[in-house]
Each structure stands twice: as C-alpha cells, then as structure tokens.
Amino acid sequence: MTGNRKMLAVFLGCICILSGIIYWLTHESAPKQEYAAPPTVANRAMNNSTLEETKDGKKSWELKIATMELDEKKENALLKGIEGKFYAEDGRVMTVTADEGTVNMKSKNIILTKNPKGVTTDNGTVTADKVTWLNKERLVVAEGHAKITKDDVVATADKATMDVGIDKAKLEAHAKVTKGEQQP
C-alpha cells in the first residue's frame, strides 16, 4: 500500500501545482499582456540592379536600374535610372531609357515614365509621356504625345502600339503621319 500512497501523494501534488498555475494565469491581479500589431515591413530598396526575362532560351527584355524599390506585396517595383533593351524575335533590339518607371513582378509588364525613349537597332525612335512593354504580347505601347520616327516617316498620336522593330504600328487618336519633305 505504501506505493499507492506515494502515487496518490504525487497525483495530489500535481493537481495542487496545476491548480496554482491556473489560478495565477486567470487571477485578475495578474498583469494582462497586450499584443501589438506586427511592425510593417518597409519597402525593400536595391541599387545598381539588373532584371531580365528569358523565354524559350532567348532574352525577352533586360533592364539595368540605378535604384529599385519593391512594394510590400512584392508585386511591383519602382525603378529609377533605367537603361534597358526589349528584344524582338527576329533579333532586332529596342534600347530604352527613362528616369523612372515600374515593373510588375508577376506579369513582367514594364512601364517607363519620366522621359522615356526607345531607339531601335535600325534607327527607329519612340518617345512619349509613357512607354509600356507588354511582356506576354511582346509589344511596345507609347501613350501621351507619342512620336515614332523611322527612316523618313514621322508618326504622332495620343497612343501608338507597335512591335519592337517599329515595322507595324497602330495609331490611335489625333494620328498624323508625314513622309519625306513634309516633316516639320
């Protein structure tokens, strides 16, 4: 019976200790812990970065960026000091520059703002208030005072959608095309 008494004493001791802990945790005079919201994570900034997209073993585009800042959700990145290239499937390249822009990290669409300019390997140029690279379609969209020059042709419009080589362009709203000596 001595073994049973020891076991009973241990059992009662454990119950007393558990009761004391429960009382201490639930007693009103115990200090209550307040939980603060987790701190918000600041946007992540990187300097002198390079981004690129490759499809089927070929570069689709690449950007060299002086400053890149990712948003909290890591969906978009704010870019500053942009130099890059958009690649056509036939090997031609449009070299682009802009003071600022953004890239959507999911769709890989790029929006160049603040002095965007594109120059093709065969001396075509694109300027506008905003130049967008539509990654999936591999198209360039120039919006706001869009101006395209290639050879002796100058086209202006509110919006222009074109391929990288500026061989095909769709002009929208206030479109005007001049050729040769008619250029201003």
Side-chain angles (χ1 to χ4, degrees), residues 5-76:
R5 285 185 186 185
K6 284 183 183 179
M7 186 90 107
L8 185 61
V10 170
F11 180 74
L12 289 175
C14 288
I15 295 224
C16 287
I17 291 172
L18 275 173
S19 297
I21 291 172
I22 292 172
Y23 176 78
W24 177 73
L25 289 174
T26 60
H27 193 266
E28 288 184 11
S29 66
K32 293 183 181 178
Q33 277 188 318
E34 291 186 25
Y35 294 98
T40 57
V41 177
N43 291 346
R44 309 246 186 237
M46 294 175 262
N47 294 323
N48 302 318
S49 302
T50 301
L51 294 174
E52 64 181 43
E53 172 78 356
T54 304
K55 289 183 182 178
D56 301 324
K58 294 182 181 180
K59 274 191 188 176
S60 181
W61 57 266
E62 66 180 328
L63 297 177
K64 293 180 183 178
I65 306 135
T67 305
M68 178 172 74
E69 186 175 311
L70 292 170
D71 68 10
E72 289 181 30
K73 297 177 185 175
K74 296 185 180 175
E75 290 180 12
N76 294 304

Side-chain angles (χ1 to χ4, degrees), residues 1-175:
M1 282 277 216
T2 336
N4 285 340
R5 285 185 186 185
K6 284 183 183 179
M7 186 90 107
L8 185 61
V10 170
F11 180 74
L12 289 175
C14 288
I15 295 224
C16 287
I17 291 172
L18 275 173
S19 297
I21 291 172
I22 292 172
Y23 176 78
W24 177 73
L25 289 174
T26 60
H27 193 266
E28 288 184 11
S29 66
K32 293 183 181 178
Q33 277 188 318
E34 291 186 25
Y35 294 98
T40 57
V41 177
N43 291 346
R44 309 246 186 237
M46 294 175 262
N47 294 323
N48 302 318
S49 302
T50 301
L51 294 174
E52 64 181 43
E53 172 78 356
T54 304
K55 289 183 182 178
D56 301 324
K58 294 182 181 180
K59 274 191 188 176
S60 181
W61 57 266
E62 66 180 328
L63 297 177
K64 293 180 183 178
I65 306 135
T67 305
M68 178 172 74
E69 186 175 311
L70 292 170
D71 68 10
E72 289 181 30
K73 297 177 185 175
K74 296 185 180 175
E75 290 180 12
N76 294 304
L78 175 64
L79 313 173
K80 292 185 180 183
I82 305 160
E83 295 179 9
K85 295 180 180 182
F86 300 150
Y87 295 93
E89 291 182 9
D90 65 5
R92 290 185 288 172
V93 178
M94 178 183 287
T95 302
V96 294
T97 58
D99 295 336
E100 292 183 1
T102 58
V103 61
N104 182 291
M105 301 307 275
K106 290 183 180 179
S107 69
K108 306 296 195 264
N109 289 344
I110 301 164
I111 300 172
L112 303 175
T113 56
K114 217 169 196 184
N115 303 315
K117 181 177 183 179
V119 178
T120 66
T121 49
D122 52 356
N123 294 319
T125 62
V126 177
T127 59
D129 296 335
K130 176 173 85 170
V131 173
T132 303
W133 168 256
L134 301 175
N135 189 51
K136 186 176 179 182
E137 297 85 0
R138 298 179 67 107
L139 292 174
V140 177
V141 179
E143 295 177 88
H145 304 99
K147 182 178 180 183
I148 304 167
T149 60
K150 186 154 184 189
D151 300 323
D152 63 344
V153 177
V154 176
T156 59
D158 290 344
K159 181 178 179 182
T161 304
M162 67 209 82
D163 61 345
V164 171
I166 313 178
D167 292 329
K168 299 175 187 171
K170 177 183 173 186
L171 306 175
E172 298 177 49
H174 302 101

